[in-house]
Amino acid sequence: MSLQDWASVAEIASAIIAGIATCISLNAAKQSRKAAEESGKLNEQMTRPRVLVYAEPSKVSPYLYNLVVENAGMRLARNIVLSVKGDDIVGVISEGGMESRLSNMKPFIHGIKMLPAGGSRKYFMINAYGDNYSRLANSRASVGVMYDNEDGKAYKAEYPLDFASMPDH
């Protein structure tokens, strides 16, 4: 082989190596972009608002229940809208002391404008004394919740109101 033949082989080998290096670089860039996207999604999941809705016994009496709306997330929740899914529980005590429905409570009618990270609101909901407790334990009431973060990204969830697992009366 002549010197010129060796130079041609070297050029071909150099081009092949350059092509392989380019493919490796493109693959690394693609993996890096994918990792950045996943990191962004994970960060958003960790720092988003997370509005929970549940019933809990009142500190005043184990027969009285509060509806709790809590932002367990790391960001402000805005424009919180609650809706009744399933049974619209009858027996909720309104401000005037009259029996009403879950859907007639203020947070269901007016919503909640904002709830800071770690914040919660409690609303007196129902007296679960005697027959009311049995009726509540058998109900299939859930609360749907829709809300936004401060950037306007929308979230939604649904939570059953689990009276059956509350302390016995």
Side-chain angles (χ1 to χ4, degrees):
M1 274 188 144
S2 72
L3 188 57
Q4 193 174 17
D5 291 339
W6 283 110
S8 294
V9 169
E11 284 179 20
I12 292 171
S14 178
I16 291 171
I17 291 171
I20 291 171
T22 300
C23 289
I24 291 171
S25 294
L26 288 173
N27 190 34
K30 183 179 174 182
Q31 289 178 353
S32 178
R33 184 170 23 109
K34 186 176 178 181
E37 288 172 1
E38 288 179 17
S39 176
K41 289 177 186 176
L42 180 61
N43 185 48
E44 192 271 332
Q45 285 296 316
M46 290 174 55
T47 62
R48 64 170 266 200
R50 194 168 305 278
V51 177
L52 310 174
V53 181
Y54 54 93
E56 72 176 10
S58 169
K59 291 182 174 147
V60 175
S61 167
Y63 299 108
L64 304 177
Y65 287 94
N66 292 321
L67 181 74
V68 180
V69 181
E70 174 184 358
N71 182 359
M74 303 285 285
R75 291 178 76 182
L76 175 74
R78 298 179 349 156
N79 305 319
I80 301 166
V81 176
L82 303 178
S83 60
V84 175
K85 308 285 185 181
D87 297 342
D88 190 3
I89 301 169
V90 176
V92 174
I93 308 301
S94 68
E95 284 186 15
M98 302 298 292
E99 193 172 83
S100 185
R101 294 185 173 274
L102 185 62
S103 60
N104 291 334
M105 291 178 66
K106 281 186 177 181
F108 288 89
I109 295 170
H110 303 292
I112 300 171
K113 296 293 181 211
M114 68 176 80
L115 197 56
S120 67
R121 303 244 177 110
K122 291 184 181 184
Y123 302 91
F124 173 66
M125 185 171 52
I126 196 163
N127 181 343
Y129 187 75
D131 291 341
N132 273 353
Y133 180 75
S134 299
R135 188 167 39 90
L136 289 172
N138 293 320
S139 76
R140 300 216 182 274
S142 300
V143 175
V145 60
M146 296 187 309
Y147 55 98
D148 304 329
N149 67 14
E150 58 267 355
D151 299 328
K153 182 166 182 181
Y155 302 93
K156 66 180 181 177
E158 185 174 328
Y159 300 101
L161 295 179
D162 184 13
F163 294 101
S165 67
M166 298 288 182
D168 290 338
H169 299 313

